[in-house]
Amino acid sequence: MVKKMKMIKTLFIKYKELITYVIFGVLTTLVNFFAFGIFTKIFGEDLYLVNNAIAWVVGVVFAYITNKLFVFESKSWDLKVITKEITGFLGARIFSFLVEEGGMFLFVSVLGLGEKSLTLLGFTITGQFIVKILLAVIVVILNYIFSKFFIFRIKNEK
C-alpha cells in the first residue's frame, strides 16, 4: 500500500501541471456551460452566439485566474508580467473563441444541428449544447497548448 501511495505521489508530482489543467479546464468548461445555460434561458435560443460570447467572457476570467495561480503557478504580480500574460491569454482565447463561434455557427445554423436534441437519463440536451460540448474538446486542447508554450512559459524558463 505504501509503495502504491509513493507511486501515485510521484506520478502526481510529475504530471501536476497537466492534472491541474484538466481539473481547472473541466471547472472552466462547467462555468462556461452554466453561464451559457443561464443566458440561453434569459435571452432565448435564437441568440445562441450572443449567449456563447457572454459565457466565454465569464469563462475566460475564471480560467485566467485559475491558470495563473494554480496550474502554471505564475506568482508574479508585476504589471509588466501581468500585462504580457493577459495580452497573450486573451489573444489565444480570442482565437479559440473564434474557432468555437465559427463551429457553433457552422454546425447549428448551416448544418441544422441546432434543431436536433438528445434525451439522456430524462434530460433533454439541445443540439446547441451537443455542438458546444464537442467544440469544447477542441478549445481545451488549443488553450492548453497556447497557455503552456506561449503565455505562462516564464515559470518554465527559470
Side-chain angles (χ1 to χ4, degrees):
M1 181 69 160
V2 174
K3 227 181 205 183
K4 285 184 182 182
M5 292 302 289
K6 280 186 178 183
M7 186 178 77
I8 291 170
K9 183 178 178 182
T10 302
L11 286 173
F12 179 78
I13 291 168
K14 183 176 181 179
Y15 296 108
K16 180 183 177 200
E17 182 180 274
L18 185 59
I19 292 167
T20 56
Y21 184 80
V22 169
I23 291 167
F24 286 106
V26 167
L27 290 174
T28 298
T29 302
L30 291 174
V31 165
N32 181 290
F33 284 9
F34 184 72
F36 181 74
I38 289 172
F39 294 115
T40 298
K41 291 284 185 194
I42 293 170
F43 300 121
E45 287 188 5
D46 290 343
L47 294 176
Y48 70 92
L49 293 176
V50 172
N51 299 334
N52 192 52
I54 299 169
W56 175 82
V57 170
V58 173
V60 166
V61 170
F62 179 83
Y64 174 74
I65 294 168
T66 58
N67 276 249
K68 177 175 181 56
L69 297 177
F70 304 112
V71 177
F72 299 105
E73 298 178 352
S74 173
K75 302 297 184 195
S76 177
W77 292 101
D78 179 72
L79 185 58
K80 189 176 177 181
V81 172
I82 290 175
T83 302
K84 186 175 179 179
E85 286 176 352
I86 289 175
T87 302
F89 195 81
L90 282 177
R93 295 297 165 122
I94 288 170
F95 175 77
S96 63
F97 169 70
L98 292 174
V99 168
E100 183 178 7
E101 282 283 277
M104 291 279 292
F105 179 75
L106 174 69
F107 291 111
V108 173
S109 294
V110 176
L111 299 176
L113 295 180
E115 299 166 11
K116 310 287 184 205
S117 66
L118 172 71
T119 303
L120 186 65
L121 301 172
F123 294 100
T124 300
I125 305 170
T126 67
Q128 291 177 5
F129 254 103
I130 294 168
V131 169
K132 188 159 179 58
I133 290 166
L134 296 174
L135 290 169
V137 174
I138 295 167
V139 166
V140 167
I141 292 168
L142 286 173
N143 289 339
Y144 179 76
I145 291 168
F146 287 131
S147 292
K148 170 130 178 95
F149 297 107
F150 302 107
I151 301 160
F152 296 107
R153 67 183 174 162
I154 296 166
K155 180 194 97 166
N156 300 328
E157 292 175 353
K158 290 183 180 177

